[in-house]
């Protein structure tokens, strides 16, 4: 059975996602920036109210995936802070100036997580050579890659996603995201065991509970 991770940009959305049976929550803030690090207090509130796993975004600024040394230190502190608050995993990704996997920084943050699973987020879709990038991400110790196959929506990258899945050969989970909705989840579930959606249908930051229910019905 295919599982679903729901991207939630506020506490109420996460509570709704958990209530409606999300298998995992990616907690972040600021939808317009593509997701930034959430507040510790938000995570603590959620962990006190449900047992659904929560992976937190570690991304202090928007605009890309190349970070200064100062921002890198902030990300280390954010990870440790959210780990202490009960995060079940983390979501981040560092690229080099030429849009390749920054193995040094990524590995350092994975090691800081000390065994908690980490997802390399859609920075992966910025990389040209995805075959090389896949091996780099695996070498860094990530448990999951969130990707649309380099296209948007993910259905446009389906052929590439299948190739990535084949190359991964169960060494890492391929989490398919990017325009995933109830209208296409049925096709994606034929090939992938985990999909990712914000379940947003009205242009706000809030998930649509009915859309999540519809996706769950399609993939179960």
């Amino acid at each position: 059975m295919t599982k679903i991770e729901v991207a939630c940009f506020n506490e109420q959305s996460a509570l709704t996602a958990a209530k409606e049976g999300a298998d995992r929550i990616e907690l972040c803030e600021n939808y317009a920036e593509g997701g930034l690090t959430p507040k510790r207090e938000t995570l603590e509130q959620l962990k006190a109210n449900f047992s659904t796993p929560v992976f937190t975004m570690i991304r202090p600024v928007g605009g890309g995936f190349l970070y200064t040394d100062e921002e890198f230190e902030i990300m280390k502190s954010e990870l440790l802070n959210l780990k202490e608050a009960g995060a079940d995993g983390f979501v981040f990704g560092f690229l080099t100036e030429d849009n390749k996997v920054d193995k040094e920084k990524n590995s350092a943050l994975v090691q800081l997580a000390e065994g908690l699973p980490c997802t390399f987020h859609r920075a992966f879709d910025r990389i040209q050579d995805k075959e090389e990038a896949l091996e780099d991400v695996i070498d860094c110790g990530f448990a999951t890659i969130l990707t649309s196959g380099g296209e948007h929506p993910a259905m446009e990258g389906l052929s590439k996603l299948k190739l990535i899945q084949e190359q991964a050969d169960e060494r890492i989970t391929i989490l398919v995201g990017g325009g995933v909705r109830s209208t296409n989840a049925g096709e994606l579930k034929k090939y992938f065991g985990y999909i990712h959606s914000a379940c947003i249908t009205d242009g706000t930051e809030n998930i649509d509970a009915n859309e999540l229910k519809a996706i769950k019905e399609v993939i179960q």
Side-chain angles (χ1 to χ4, degrees), residues 170-201:
E170 299 184 0
R171 293 176 294 159
I172 192 168
T173 299
I174 305 302
L175 176 62
V176 178
V180 173
R181 295 291 183 270
S182 53
T183 52
N184 54 37
E187 181 67 17
L188 291 169
K189 83 165 187 176
K190 296 177 184 177
Y191 312 103
F192 305 99
Y194 229 126
I195 60 173
H196 170 102
S197 177
C199 299
I200 293 171
T201 60

Side-chain angles (χ1 to χ4, degrees), residues 89-108:
F90 304 99
V91 183
F92 55 87
F94 296 90
L95 299 182
T96 62
E97 289 185 8
D98 54 352
N99 273 353
K100 293 187 177 182
V101 176
D102 187 328
K103 293 184 73 172
E104 184 179 347
K105 284 190 172 70
N106 284 303
S107 296

